[in-house]
Amino acid sequence: MDLEHNLTPAILAYEGIQYQYMAPAVFEEEMLSWVQSHLRILSGFYGILRPFDGVRAYRLEMQARLPVGEAKDLYGFWGGRIYQEVYKESDRILLNLASKEYSRCVESFLEPEDRFITCVFGEWSGSKIVQKGTY
């Protein structure tokens, strides 16, 4: 896999429902500038990406049981590096929109001074919230 040529900006390369609903293809320049400064994309292959970082098409889930070097899986491979990278750029406040699979890469390493605000997308059913994967 050639990781240096014919790359696509991460924000346009991913096709999950969250990217479809975000609709980055119709962003105006100001919006693109804002997401480049504020949005980070977690990846099992690349670690942490800015929206305009170039990527190659791949399919690799963070929870894949894939031994990498001495690590038994991707969580072990990345360890606290994703957490460290995302928090070094912040004022210790993070709005988490990631799935549980990906937020685990950060959540497992939180320090007492970190603010990690997780959005739950769902609807009330009786006295509890039922999460909806497509909200």
Side-chain angles (χ1 to χ4, degrees), residues 52-114:
F52 295 121
D53 288 348
V55 298
R56 295 294 293 184
Y58 71 94
R59 181 73 178 160
L60 179 64
E61 299 294 330
M62 183 62 82
Q63 62 191 0
R65 298 206 190 285
L66 174 69
V68 182
E70 299 294 317
K72 68 178 184 172
D73 58 21
L74 291 170
Y75 294 112
F77 172 76
W78 289 111
R81 291 182 290 171
I82 291 175
Y83 162 81
Q84 291 165 358
E85 185 69 22
V86 84
Y87 268 100
K88 86 176 184 183
E89 296 181 350
S90 75
D91 54 1
R92 313 278 335 152
I93 299 172
L94 186 73
L95 178 59
N96 173 37
L97 300 173
S99 66
K100 288 181 183 181
E101 172 187 357
Y102 285 90
S103 62
R104 180 176 153 193
C105 301
V106 174
E107 212 168 12
S108 302
F109 300 94
L110 291 173
E111 299 288 336
E113 65 272 15
D114 296 333

Side-chain angles (χ1 to χ4, degrees), residues 17 22 48-49 52 82 119:
I17 197 161
M22 189 181 350
I48 190 164
L49 295 162
F52 295 121
I82 291 175
C119 294

Side-chain angles (χ1 to χ4, degrees), residues 2-56:
D2 183 349
L3 299 176
E4 296 182 16
H5 301 94
N6 299 319
L7 305 177
T8 302
I11 197 165
L12 300 175
Y14 293 108
E15 298 174 348
I17 197 161
Q18 64 274 36
Y19 297 98
Q20 293 171 26
Y21 285 172
M22 189 181 350
V26 297
F27 280 8
E28 294 176 3
E29 189 173 334
E30 185 178 334
M31 296 169 188
L32 292 169
S33 177
W34 190 91
V35 294
Q36 179 68 4
S37 296
H38 294 86
L39 177 68
R40 296 298 173 264
I41 300 167
L42 306 183
S43 162
F45 187 76
Y46 290 99
I48 190 164
L49 295 162
R50 291 175 182 267
F52 295 121
D53 288 348
V55 298
R56 295 294 293 184

